[in-house]
Amino acid sequence: QVDMVESGGGFVQAGGSLRLSCEVSGSIFRLIAMGWYRQAPGKQRELVARITDGGTDYGDSVKGRFTISRGNVKSTVYLQMDSLKPEDTAVYYCHTNFYRAVGVPGEHWGQGTQVSVSS
């Protein structure tokens, strides 16, 4: 079983900042990647940012404004969101890919946290 705790969503005015955090725990042999996706009403879920041992990836719309990083342990990830825009309003979901055992992949989604940006 895998548990995931997300926090940090909220309401902010355009130009403001928020920081999301996500911690995963449970039956994980090795983490492959952790990241954040978002879904706005009427739109598809899209990648915001992702981090692996090899580096980071960002969605085009957040490059230069958002930064993903790990905590002191790999099972915690943070998303620093600066210069927020109304179009960043969405439910943000933490996601992880991992191995349950050697050669046995798994993935897990968080329940989501709402980010709302007013103009």
Side-chain angles (χ1 to χ4, degrees):
Q1 181 176 340
V2 173
D3 295 311
M4 183 176 275
V5 178
E6 302 163 316
S7 63
F11 182 88
V12 67
Q13 290 188 330
S17 299
L18 285 173
R19 189 189 194 211
L20 306 182
S21 65
C22 175
E23 181 177 2
V24 64
S25 61
S27 303
I28 295 174
F29 173 68
R30 184 168 73 88
L31 279 173
I32 300 170
M34 288 189 71
W36 290 92
Y37 291 74
R38 69 186 182 187
Q39 188 166 18
K43 295 188 176 181
Q44 290 187 331
R45 192 170 294 189
E46 63 176 359
L47 171 71
V48 177
R50 185 172 178 263
I51 187 167
T52 68
D53 286 344
T56 56
D57 293 307
Y58 292 93
D60 288 341
S61 62
V62 307
K63 286 179 181 177
R65 300 187 298 122
F66 291 11
T67 304
I68 191 168
S69 61
R70 282 174 170 155
N72 291 330
V73 294
K74 287 184 178 180
S75 57
T76 301
V77 66
Y78 302 101
L79 182 68
Q80 178 66 40
M81 304 185 294
D82 298 319
S83 302
L84 282 160
K85 303 175 181 180
E87 50 264 44
D88 294 318
T89 296
V91 178
Y92 285 67
Y93 296 91
C94 186
H95 177 264
T96 182
N97 293 103
F98 55 91
Y99 284 109
R100 300 179 186 278
V102 174
V104 181
E107 69 170 340
H108 189 84
W109 288 93
Q111 292 185 334
T113 184
Q114 177 70 45
V115 171
S116 298
V117 185
S118 67
S119 57

PDB file of all heavy atoms in Angstrom, residues 55-90:
ATOM      1  N   GLY A  55      17.042  14.478 -13.538  1.00  0.00           N
ATOM      2  CA  GLY A  55      16.770  15.891 -13.705  1.00  0.00           C
ATOM      3  C   GLY A  55      15.305  16.225 -13.586  1.00  0.00           C
ATOM      4  O   GLY A  55      14.523  15.485 -12.984  1.00  0.00           O
ATOM      5  N   THR A  56      14.930  17.361 -14.177  1.00  0.00           N
ATOM      6  CA  THR A  56      13.567  17.868 -14.052  1.00  0.00           C
ATOM      7  C   THR A  56      12.955  18.145 -15.421  1.00  0.00           C
ATOM      8  O   THR A  56      13.666  18.404 -16.399  1.00  0.00           O
ATOM      9  CB  THR A  56      13.546  19.173 -13.241  1.00  0.00           C
ATOM     10  OG1 THR A  56      14.426  20.120 -13.860  1.00  0.00           O
ATOM     11  CG2 THR A  56      14.002  18.937 -11.811  1.00  0.00           C
ATOM     12  N   ASP A  57      11.640  18.068 -15.481  1.00  0.00           N
ATOM     13  CA  ASP A  57      10.883  18.442 -16.672  1.00  0.00           C
ATOM     14  C   ASP A  57       9.774  19.379 -16.238  1.00  0.00           C
ATOM     15  O   ASP A  57       9.202  19.200 -15.160  1.00  0.00           O
ATOM     16  CB  ASP A  57      10.258  17.206 -17.334  1.00  0.00           C
ATOM     17  CG  ASP A  57      11.312  16.275 -17.918  1.00  0.00           C
ATOM     18  OD1 ASP A  57      12.149  16.757 -18.695  1.00  0.00           O
ATOM     19  OD2 ASP A  57      11.284  15.086 -17.572  1.00  0.00           O
ATOM     20  N   TYR A  58       9.446  20.336 -17.113  1.00  0.00           N
ATOM     21  CA  TYR A  58       8.384  21.291 -16.820  1.00  0.00           C
ATOM     22  C   TYR A  58       7.449  21.420 -18.012  1.00  0.00           C
ATOM     23  O   TYR A  58       7.873  21.326 -19.170  1.00  0.00           O
ATOM     24  CB  TYR A  58       8.963  22.682 -16.513  1.00  0.00           C
ATOM     25  CG  TYR A  58       9.746  22.753 -15.228  1.00  0.00           C
ATOM     26  CD1 TYR A  58      11.122  22.559 -15.220  1.00  0.00           C
ATOM     27  CD2 TYR A  58       9.106  23.020 -14.020  1.00  0.00           C
ATOM     28  CE1 TYR A  58      11.846  22.620 -14.045  1.00  0.00           C
ATOM     29  CE2 TYR A  58       9.819  23.080 -12.836  1.00  0.00           C
ATOM     30  CZ  TYR A  58      11.190  22.880 -12.854  1.00  0.00           C
ATOM     31  OH  TYR A  58      11.899  22.939 -11.681  1.00  0.00           O
ATOM     32  N   GLY A  59       6.182  21.669 -17.723  1.00  0.00           N
ATOM     33  CA  GLY A  59       5.265  22.031 -18.779  1.00  0.00           C
ATOM     34  C   GLY A  59       5.653  23.402 -19.329  1.00  0.00           C
ATOM     35  O   GLY A  59       6.158  24.256 -18.596  1.00  0.00           O
ATOM     36  N   ASP A  60       5.390  23.611 -20.606  1.00  0.00           N
ATOM     37  CA  ASP A  60       5.815  24.851 -21.255  1.00  0.00           C
ATOM     38  C   ASP A  60       5.222  26.088 -20.580  1.00  0.00           C
ATOM     39  O   ASP A  60       5.878  27.131 -20.489  1.00  0.00           O
ATOM     40  CB  ASP A  60       5.424  24.839 -22.732  1.00  0.00           C
ATOM     41  CG  ASP A  60       6.265  23.880 -23.554  1.00  0.00           C
ATOM     42  OD1 ASP A  60       7.357  23.502 -23.086  1.00  0.00           O
ATOM     43  OD2 ASP A  60       5.828  23.491 -24.646  1.00  0.00           O
ATOM     44  N   SER A  61       4.004  25.969 -20.102  1.00  0.00           N
ATOM     45  CA  SER A  61       3.321  27.149 -19.555  1.00  0.00           C
ATOM     46  C   SER A  61       3.854  27.582 -18.196  1.00  0.00           C
ATOM     47  O   SER A  61       3.527  28.684 -17.738  1.00  0.00           O
ATOM     48  CB  SER A  61       1.814  26.874 -19.450  1.00  0.00           C
ATOM     49  OG  SER A  61       1.566  25.806 -18.572  1.00  0.00           O
ATOM     50  N   VAL A  62       4.662  26.747 -17.544  1.00  0.00           N
ATOM     51  CA  VAL A  62       5.150  27.103 -16.207  1.00  0.00           C
ATOM     52  C   VAL A  62       6.660  27.304 -16.166  1.00  0.00           C
ATOM     53  O   VAL A  62       7.202  27.673 -15.122  1.00  0.00           O
ATOM     54  CB  VAL A  62       4.738  26.047 -15.155  1.00  0.00           C
ATOM     55  CG1 VAL A  62       3.235  25.802 -15.192  1.00  0.00           C
ATOM     56  CG2 VAL A  62       5.507  24.748 -15.326  1.00  0.00           C
ATOM     57  N   LYS A  63       7.336  27.050 -17.272  1.00  0.00           N
ATOM     58  CA  LYS A  63       8.792  27.199 -17.275  1.00  0.00           C
ATOM     59  C   LYS A  63       9.190  28.623 -16.898  1.00  0.00           C
ATOM     60  O   LYS A  63       8.625  29.590 -17.387  1.00  0.00           O
ATOM     61  CB  LYS A  63       9.352  26.855 -18.662  1.00  0.00           C
ATOM     62  CG  LYS A  63       9.345  25.368 -18.969  1.00  0.00           C
ATOM     63  CD  LYS A  63       9.881  25.091 -20.369  1.00  0.00           C
ATOM     64  CE  LYS A  63       9.852  23.596 -20.657  1.00  0.00           C
ATOM     65  NZ  LYS A  63      10.299  23.287 -22.040  1.00  0.00           N
ATOM     66  N   GLY A  64      10.173  28.715 -16.009  1.00  0.00           N
ATOM     67  CA  GLY A  64      10.645  30.015 -15.559  1.00  0.00           C
ATOM     68  C   GLY A  64       9.865  30.589 -14.395  1.00  0.00           C
ATOM     69  O   GLY A  64      10.290  31.585 -13.800  1.00  0.00           O
ATOM     70  N   ARG A  65       8.720  29.985 -14.061  1.00  0.00           N
ATOM     71  CA  ARG A  65       7.898  30.480 -12.954  1.00  0.00           C
ATOM     72  C   ARG A  65       7.793  29.469 -11.811  1.00  0.00           C
ATOM     73  O   ARG A  65       7.682  29.853 -10.647  1.00  0.00           O
ATOM     74  CB  ARG A  65       6.492  30.825 -13.450  1.00  0.00           C
ATOM     75  CG  ARG A  65       6.459  31.890 -14.514  1.00  0.00           C
ATOM     76  CD  ARG A  65       5.018  32.311 -14.834  1.00  0.00           C
ATOM     77  NE  ARG A  65       4.217  31.222 -15.372  1.00  0.00           N
ATOM     78  CZ  ARG A  65       3.087  30.783 -14.819  1.00  0.00           C
ATOM     79  NH1 ARG A  65       2.622  31.327 -13.715  1.00  0.00           N
ATOM     80  NH2 ARG A  65       2.415  29.788 -15.384  1.00  0.00           N
ATOM     81  N   PHE A  66       7.786  28.184 -12.146  1.00  0.00           N
ATOM     82  CA  PHE A  66       7.636  27.131 -11.147  1.00  0.00           C
ATOM     83  C   PHE A  66       8.958  26.385 -11.008  1.00  0.00           C
ATOM     84  O   PHE A  66       9.705  26.215 -11.985  1.00  0.00           O
ATOM     85  CB  PHE A  66       6.562  26.131 -11.567  1.00  0.00           C
ATOM     86  CG  PHE A  66       5.148  26.657 -11.548  1.00  0.00           C
ATOM     87  CD1 PHE A  66       4.869  28.008 -11.385  1.00  0.00           C
ATOM     88  CD2 PHE A  66       4.084  25.772 -11.707  1.00  0.00           C
ATOM     89  CE1 PHE A  66       3.576  28.486 -11.369  1.00  0.00           C
ATOM     90  CE2 PHE A  66       2.774  26.236 -11.686  1.00  0.00           C
ATOM     91  CZ  PHE A  66       2.525  27.595 -11.532  1.00  0.00           C
ATOM     92  N   THR A  67       9.217  25.894  -9.785  1.00  0.00           N
ATOM     93  CA  THR A  67      10.421  25.116  -9.528  1.00  0.00           C
ATOM     94  C   THR A  67      10.071  23.896  -8.696  1.00  0.00           C
ATOM     95  O   THR A  67       9.457  24.033  -7.626  1.00  0.00           O
ATOM     96  CB  THR A  67      11.472  25.950  -8.769  1.00  0.00           C
ATOM     97  OG1 THR A  67      11.765  27.140  -9.502  1.00  0.00           O
ATOM     98  CG2 THR A  67      12.754  25.149  -8.589  1.00  0.00           C
ATOM     99  N   ILE A  68      10.470  22.731  -9.176  1.00  0.00           N
ATOM    100  CA  ILE A  68      10.249  21.496  -8.425  1.00  0.00           C
ATOM    101  C   ILE A  68      11.560  21.096  -7.762  1.00  0.00           C
ATOM    102  O   ILE A  68      12.646  21.259  -8.343  1.00  0.00           O
ATOM    103  CB  ILE A  68       9.705  20.365  -9.335  1.00  0.00           C
ATOM    104  CG1 ILE A  68       9.239  19.184  -8.495  1.00  0.00           C
ATOM    105  CG2 ILE A  68      10.733  19.940 -10.388  1.00  0.00           C
ATOM    106  CD1 ILE A  68       8.431  18.151  -9.275  1.00  0.00           C
ATOM    107  N   SER A  69      11.468  20.589  -6.540  1.00  0.00           N
ATOM    108  CA  SER A  69      12.669  20.181  -5.824  1.00  0.00           C
ATOM    109  C   SER A  69      12.321  19.053  -4.867  1.00  0.00           C
ATOM    110  O   SER A  69      11.148  18.827  -4.550  1.00  0.00           O
ATOM    111  CB  SER A  69      13.269  21.359  -5.042  1.00  0.00           C
ATOM    112  OG  SER A  69      12.356  21.836  -4.081  1.00  0.00           O
ATOM    113  N   ARG A  70      13.362  18.358  -4.417  1.00  0.00           N
ATOM    114  CA  ARG A  70      13.174  17.298  -3.442  1.00  0.00           C
ATOM    115  C   ARG A  70      13.516  17.807  -2.052  1.00  0.00           C
ATOM    116  O   ARG A  70      14.337  18.716  -1.885  1.00  0.00           O
ATOM    117  CB  ARG A  70      14.084  16.119  -3.774  1.00  0.00           C
ATOM    118  CG  ARG A  70      13.589  15.251  -4.896  1.00  0.00           C
ATOM    119  CD  ARG A  70      14.635  14.223  -5.226  1.00  0.00           C
ATOM    120  NE  ARG A  70      14.120  13.211  -6.140  1.00  0.00           N
ATOM    121  CZ  ARG A  70      14.890  12.500  -6.948  1.00  0.00           C
ATOM    122  NH1 ARG A  70      16.196  12.687  -6.959  1.00  0.00           N
ATOM    123  NH2 ARG A  70      14.370  11.591  -7.730  1.00  0.00           N
ATOM    124  N   GLY A  71      12.935  17.171  -1.057  1.00  0.00           N
ATOM    125  CA  GLY A  71      13.307  17.430   0.312  1.00  0.00           C
ATOM    126  C   GLY A  71      14.569  16.667   0.663  1.00  0.00           C
ATOM    127  O   GLY A  71      15.275  16.150  -0.203  1.00  0.00           O
ATOM    128  N   ASN A  72      14.845  16.572   1.944  1.00  0.00           N
ATOM    129  CA  ASN A  72      16.036  15.857   2.395  1.00  0.00           C
ATOM    130  C   ASN A  72      15.969  14.368   2.074  1.00  0.00           C
ATOM    131  O   ASN A  72      16.999  13.701   1.988  1.00  0.00           O
ATOM    132  CB  ASN A  72      16.230  16.049   3.907  1.00  0.00           C
ATOM    133  CG  ASN A  72      16.625  17.471   4.236  1.00  0.00           C
ATOM    134  OD1 ASN A  72      17.264  18.148   3.444  1.00  0.00           O
ATOM    135  ND2 ASN A  72      16.243  17.929   5.420  1.00  0.00           N
ATOM    136  N   VAL A  73      14.777  13.856   1.897  1.00  0.00           N
ATOM    137  CA  VAL A  73      14.592  12.484   1.454  1.00  0.00           C
ATOM    138  C   VAL A  73      13.863  12.514   0.118  1.00  0.00           C
ATOM    139  O   VAL A  73      13.060  13.405  -0.146  1.00  0.00           O
ATOM    140  CB  VAL A  73      13.809  11.635   2.474  1.00  0.00           C
ATOM    141  CG1 VAL A  73      14.611  11.459   3.744  1.00  0.00           C
ATOM    142  CG2 VAL A  73      12.466  12.265   2.774  1.00  0.00           C
ATOM    143  N   LYS A  74      14.140  11.544  -0.727  1.00  0.00           N
ATOM    144  CA  LYS A  74      13.577  11.554  -2.079  1.00  0.00           C
ATOM    145  C   LYS A  74      12.071  11.423  -2.083  1.00  0.00           C
ATOM    146  O   LYS A  74      11.424  11.773  -3.060  1.00  0.00           O
ATOM    147  CB  LYS A  74      14.183  10.413  -2.892  1.00  0.00           C
ATOM    148  CG  LYS A  74      15.613  10.624  -3.309  1.00  0.00           C
ATOM    149  CD  LYS A  74      16.071   9.464  -4.192  1.00  0.00           C
ATOM    150  CE  LYS A  74      17.486   9.668  -4.658  1.00  0.00           C
ATOM    151  NZ  LYS A  74      17.935   8.544  -5.529  1.00  0.00           N
ATOM    152  N   SER A  75      11.500  10.940  -0.982  1.00  0.00           N
ATOM    153  CA  SER A  75      10.066  10.691  -0.969  1.00  0.00           C
ATOM    154  C   SER A  75       9.242  11.951  -0.730  1.00  0.00           C
ATOM    155  O   SER A  75       8.023  11.877  -0.645  1.00  0.00           O
ATOM    156  CB  SER A  75       9.739   9.647   0.106  1.00  0.00           C
ATOM    157  OG  SER A  75      10.196  10.095   1.367  1.00  0.00           O
ATOM    158  N   THR A  76       9.893  13.092  -0.620  1.00  0.00           N
ATOM    159  CA  THR A  76       9.202  14.363  -0.469  1.00  0.00           C
ATOM    160  C   THR A  76       9.582  15.278  -1.627  1.00  0.00           C
ATOM    161  O   THR A  76      10.759  15.392  -1.978  1.00  0.00           O
ATOM    162  CB  THR A  76       9.584  15.045   0.860  1.00  0.00           C
ATOM    163  OG1 THR A  76       9.252  14.190   1.947  1.00  0.00           O
ATOM    164  CG2 THR A  76       8.832  16.355   1.011  1.00  0.00           C
ATOM    165  N   VAL A  77       8.576  15.912  -2.205  1.00  0.00           N
ATOM    166  CA  VAL A  77       8.826  16.815  -3.313  1.00  0.00           C
ATOM    167  C   VAL A  77       8.043  18.100  -3.088  1.00  0.00           C
ATOM    168  O   VAL A  77       6.952  18.081  -2.516  1.00  0.00           O
ATOM    169  CB  VAL A  77       8.451  16.161  -4.660  1.00  0.00           C
ATOM    170  CG1 VAL A  77       6.960  15.920  -4.762  1.00  0.00           C
ATOM    171  CG2 VAL A  77       8.949  16.974  -5.826  1.00  0.00           C
ATOM    172  N   TYR A  78       8.630  19.206  -3.531  1.00  0.00           N
ATOM    173  CA  TYR A  78       8.013  20.513  -3.383  1.00  0.00           C
ATOM    174  C   TYR A  78       7.836  21.154  -4.756  1.00  0.00           C
ATOM    175  O   TYR A  78       8.637  20.931  -5.661  1.00  0.00           O
ATOM    176  CB  TYR A  78       8.886  21.426  -2.520  1.00  0.00           C
ATOM    177  CG  TYR A  78       9.170  20.876  -1.153  1.00  0.00           C
ATOM    178  CD1 TYR A  78      10.395  20.272  -0.859  1.00  0.00           C
ATOM    179  CD2 TYR A  78       8.215  20.934  -0.151  1.00  0.00           C
ATOM    180  CE1 TYR A  78      10.662  19.754   0.389  1.00  0.00           C
ATOM    181  CE2 TYR A  78       8.473  20.414   1.112  1.00  0.00           C
ATOM    182  CZ  TYR A  78       9.689  19.823   1.367  1.00  0.00           C
ATOM    183  OH  TYR A  78       9.940  19.296   2.614  1.00  0.00           O
ATOM    184  N   LEU A  79       6.799  21.955  -4.881  1.00  0.00           N
ATOM    185  CA  LEU A  79       6.590  22.740  -6.086  1.00  0.00           C
ATOM    186  C   LEU A  79       6.431  24.195  -5.658  1.00  0.00           C
ATOM    187  O   LEU A  79       5.424  24.571  -5.065  1.00  0.00           O
ATOM    188  CB  LEU A  79       5.351  22.277  -6.852  1.00  0.00           C
ATOM    189  CG  LEU A  79       5.101  23.020  -8.162  1.00  0.00           C
ATOM    190  CD1 LEU A  79       6.198  22.658  -9.186  1.00  0.00           C
ATOM    191  CD2 LEU A  79       3.730  22.673  -8.730  1.00  0.00           C
ATOM    192  N   GLN A  80       7.443  25.005  -5.947  1.00  0.00           N
ATOM    193  CA  GLN A  80       7.385  26.435  -5.678  1.00  0.00           C
ATOM    194  C   GLN A  80       6.792  27.125  -6.897  1.00  0.00           C
ATOM    195  O   GLN A  80       7.344  27.021  -7.997  1.00  0.00           O
ATOM    196  CB  GLN A  80       8.790  26.977  -5.389  1.00  0.00           C
ATOM    197  CG  GLN A  80       8.839  28.476  -5.135  1.00  0.00           C
ATOM    198  CD  GLN A  80       8.107  28.872  -3.859  1.00  0.00           C
ATOM    199  OE1 GLN A  80       8.180  28.186  -2.853  1.00  0.00           O
ATOM    200  NE2 GLN A  80       7.394  29.996  -3.922  1.00  0.00           N
ATOM    201  N   MET A  81       5.676  27.789  -6.694  1.00  0.00           N
ATOM    202  CA  MET A  81       4.967  28.435  -7.787  1.00  0.00           C
ATOM    203  C   MET A  81       5.015  29.943  -7.590  1.00  0.00           C
ATOM    204  O   MET A  81       4.443  30.464  -6.626  1.00  0.00           O
ATOM    205  CB  MET A  81       3.512  27.943  -7.834  1.00  0.00           C
ATOM    206  CG  MET A  81       3.398  26.434  -7.950  1.00  0.00           C
ATOM    207  SD  MET A  81       1.692  25.863  -8.147  1.00  0.00           S
ATOM    208  CE  MET A  81       1.000  26.307  -6.560  1.00  0.00           C
ATOM    209  N   ASP A  82       5.711  30.624  -8.466  1.00  0.00           N
ATOM    210  CA  ASP A  82       5.846  32.080  -8.414  1.00  0.00           C
ATOM    211  C   ASP A  82       5.176  32.712  -9.625  1.00  0.00           C
ATOM    212  O   ASP A  82       4.910  32.057 -10.624  1.00  0.00           O
ATOM    213  CB  ASP A  82       7.332  32.466  -8.361  1.00  0.00           C
ATOM    214  CG  ASP A  82       8.032  31.949  -7.122  1.00  0.00           C
ATOM    215  OD1 ASP A  82       7.437  32.000  -6.041  1.00  0.00           O
ATOM    216  OD2 ASP A  82       9.179  31.482  -7.253  1.00  0.00           O
ATOM    217  N   SER A  83       4.952  34.014  -9.524  1.00  0.00           N
ATOM    218  CA  SER A  83       4.324  34.763 -10.625  1.00  0.00           C
ATOM    219  C   SER A  83       3.062  34.060 -11.124  1.00  0.00           C
ATOM    220  O   SER A  83       2.868  33.880 -12.334  1.00  0.00           O
ATOM    221  CB  SER A  83       5.322  34.942 -11.779  1.00  0.00           C
ATOM    222  OG  SER A  83       6.484  35.618 -11.342  1.00  0.00           O
ATOM    223  N   LEU A  84       2.228  33.662 -10.193  1.00  0.00           N
ATOM    224  CA  LEU A  84       1.027  32.911 -10.552  1.00  0.00           C
ATOM    225  C   LEU A  84       0.084  33.745 -11.397  1.00  0.00           C
ATOM    226  O   LEU A  84      -0.034  34.975 -11.221  1.00  0.00           O
ATOM    227  CB  LEU A  84       0.331  32.404  -9.297  1.00  0.00           C
ATOM    228  CG  LEU A  84       0.994  31.171  -8.675  1.00  0.00           C
ATOM    229  CD1 LEU A  84       0.583  31.014  -7.219  1.00  0.00           C
ATOM    230  CD2 LEU A  84       0.623  29.922  -9.463  1.00  0.00           C
ATOM    231  N   LYS A  85      -0.589  33.062 -12.318  1.00  0.00           N
ATOM    232  CA  LYS A  85      -1.534  33.689 -13.232  1.00  0.00           C
ATOM    233  C   LYS A  85      -2.907  33.054 -13.037  1.00  0.00           C
ATOM    234  O   LYS A  85      -3.004  31.905 -12.598  1.00  0.00           O
ATOM    235  CB  LYS A  85      -1.088  33.477 -14.676  1.00  0.00           C
ATOM    236  CG  LYS A  85       0.301  33.982 -14.989  1.00  0.00           C
ATOM    237  CD  LYS A  85       0.694  33.619 -16.420  1.00  0.00           C
ATOM    238  CE  LYS A  85       2.102  34.089 -16.753  1.00  0.00           C
ATOM    239  NZ  LYS A  85       2.478  33.721 -18.149  1.00  0.00           N
ATOM    240  N   PRO A  86      -3.972  33.753 -13.408  1.00  0.00           N
ATOM    241  CA  PRO A  86      -5.314  33.145 -13.290  1.00  0.00           C
ATOM    242  C   PRO A  86      -5.416  31.816 -14.036  1.00  0.00           C
ATOM    243  O   PRO A  86      -6.126  30.918 -13.588  1.00  0.00           O
ATOM    244  CB  PRO A  86      -6.219  34.214 -13.908  1.00  0.00           C
ATOM    245  CG  PRO A  86      -5.513  35.502 -13.640  1.00  0.00           C
ATOM    246  CD  PRO A  86      -4.049  35.173 -13.784  1.00  0.00           C
ATOM    247  N   GLU A  87      -4.700  31.686 -15.137  1.00  0.00           N
ATOM    248  CA  GLU A  87      -4.749  30.436 -15.901  1.00  0.00           C
ATOM    249  C   GLU A  87      -4.045  29.275 -15.209  1.00  0.00           C
ATOM    250  O   GLU A  87      -4.107  28.139 -15.678  1.00  0.00           O
ATOM    251  CB  GLU A  87      -4.177  30.626 -17.315  1.00  0.00           C
ATOM    252  CG  GLU A  87      -2.828  31.285 -17.369  1.00  0.00           C
ATOM    253  CD  GLU A  87      -2.923  32.778 -17.627  1.00  0.00           C
ATOM    254  OE1 GLU A  87      -3.777  33.453 -17.008  1.00  0.00           O
ATOM    255  OE2 GLU A  87      -2.119  33.284 -18.437  1.00  0.00           O
ATOM    256  N   ASP A  88      -3.386  29.533 -14.092  1.00  0.00           N
ATOM    257  CA  ASP A  88      -2.805  28.459 -13.291  1.00  0.00           C
ATOM    258  C   ASP A  88      -3.837  27.821 -12.365  1.00  0.00           C
ATOM    259  O   ASP A  88      -3.546  26.816 -11.701  1.00  0.00           O
ATOM    260  CB  ASP A  88      -1.642  28.980 -12.446  1.00  0.00           C
ATOM    261  CG  ASP A  88      -0.454  29.439 -13.282  1.00  0.00           C
ATOM    262  OD1 ASP A  88      -0.116  28.735 -14.247  1.00  0.00           O
ATOM    263  OD2 ASP A  88       0.118  30.499 -12.966  1.00  0.00           O
ATOM    264  N   THR A  89      -5.023  28.405 -12.317  1.00  0.00           N
ATOM    265  CA  THR A  89      -6.083  27.858 -11.476  1.00  0.00           C
ATOM    266  C   THR A  89      -6.446  26.448 -11.932  1.00  0.00           C
ATOM    267  O   THR A  89      -6.761  26.221 -13.099  1.00  0.00           O
ATOM    268  CB  THR A  89      -7.328  28.755 -11.532  1.00  0.00           C
ATOM    269  OG1 THR A  89      -7.002  30.034 -10.968  1.00  0.00           O
ATOM    270  CG2 THR A  89      -8.482  28.136 -10.774  1.00  0.00           C
ATOM    271  N   ALA A  90      -6.374  25.502 -11.000  1.00  0.00           N
ATOM    272  CA  ALA A  90      -6.629  24.099 -11.310  1.00  0.00           C
ATOM    273  C   ALA A  90      -6.522  23.275 -10.032  1.00  0.00           C
ATOM    274  O   ALA A  90      -6.091  23.785  -8.990  1.00  0.00           O
ATOM    275  CB  ALA A  90      -5.619  23.584 -12.335  1.00  0.00           C
TER     276      ALA A  90
END
